């Protein structure tokens, strides 16, 4: 079965305080490329935009927009999530993050994914993750030993996931979701 037609997620834009610092972070730490940048007139004056992408077919995946106040009481963006192509990639980014200007680095498993959470320089929470081939009921969040070799980490995660409620193969969960989304 195919994904739902009509809409698909494209990109996100976030307000930032120090646009150059944030652009440098997304380029240097997360390997985004600046695809465009410029200024538009906004209701309160000029705003600067930096468009970034990791995909040559997509002009922008994250847009950085100037104008975020220095102090805000609450950030309404819970997280920005990106899929890694392998456990090894996830582990390499974890090592890179430990040397970068980030805080709250937290490697966890959700049962159905292996994730590394952290905060960018302005406090936005980011998740890098790899899906697993199984599903467990959500929410689930368990600290994981990301330093294990990739095959051992995956085996550890599956052993743990099998103890959680709702464990089943991802293919079974997907078939159920496809049926539910068709109705």
């Amino acid at each position: 079965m195919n994904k739902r037609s009509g809409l698909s997620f494209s990109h996100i834009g976030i307000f930032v305080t120090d646009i150059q610092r944030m652009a440098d972070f997304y380029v240097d730490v997360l390997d985004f490329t600046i695809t465009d940048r410029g200024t538009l007139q906004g209701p309160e004056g000029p705003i600067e935009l930096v468009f970034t992408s990791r995909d040559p077919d997509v002009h922008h995946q994250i847009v950085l927009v100037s104008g975020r106040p220095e102090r805000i009481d609450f950030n309404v963006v819970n997280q920005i999530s990106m899929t890694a192509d392998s456990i090894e990639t996830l582990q390499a980014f974890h090592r890179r993050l430990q040397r970068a200007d980030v805080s709250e680095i937290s490697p966890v498993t959700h049962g159905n994914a292996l994730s590394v959470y952290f905060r960018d320089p302005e406090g936005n929470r980011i998740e890098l993750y790899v899906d697993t081939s199984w599903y467990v009921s959500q929410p689930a969040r368990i600290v994981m030993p990301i330093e294990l070799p990739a095959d051992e980490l995956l085996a550890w995660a599956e052993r743990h996931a099998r103890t959680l409620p709702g464990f089943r193969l991802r293919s079974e969960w997907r078939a159920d979701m496809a049926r539910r989304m068709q109705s």
Side-chain angles (χ1 to χ4, degrees), residues 77-90:
V77 176
N78 179 18
Q79 68 194 41
I80 301 167
S81 299
M82 294 172 245
T83 307
D85 61 9
S86 68
I87 292 174
E88 292 84 358
T89 296
L90 187 67

Side-chain angles (χ1 to χ4, degrees), residues 80-165:
I80 301 167
S81 299
M82 294 172 245
T83 307
D85 61 9
S86 68
I87 292 174
E88 292 84 358
T89 296
L90 187 67
Q91 291 172 316
F93 273 102
H94 179 258
R95 289 188 297 274
R96 180 185 283 189
L97 292 167
Q98 291 175 315
R99 299 184 304 269
D101 181 19
V102 299
S103 61
E104 299 180 28
I105 301 171
S106 178
V108 301
T109 179
H110 296 295
N112 60 356
L114 307 179
S115 301
V116 174
Y117 287 90
F118 58 97
R119 300 277 177 177
D120 73 14
E122 292 192 2
N124 300 296
R125 186 166 64 159
I126 299 175
E127 174 194 25
L128 308 179
Y129 73 96
V130 175
D131 284 323
T132 63
S133 58
W134 53 85
Y135 166 84
V136 302
S137 298
Q138 296 299 309
R141 183 181 172 104
I142 299 94
V143 174
M144 72 174 176
I146 195 165
E147 69 284 345
L148 290 176
D151 57 339
E152 291 178 33
L153 178 58
L154 188 61
W156 173 89
E158 183 176 3
R159 278 192 310 276
H160 189 277
R162 287 182 176 277
T163 69
L164 299 174

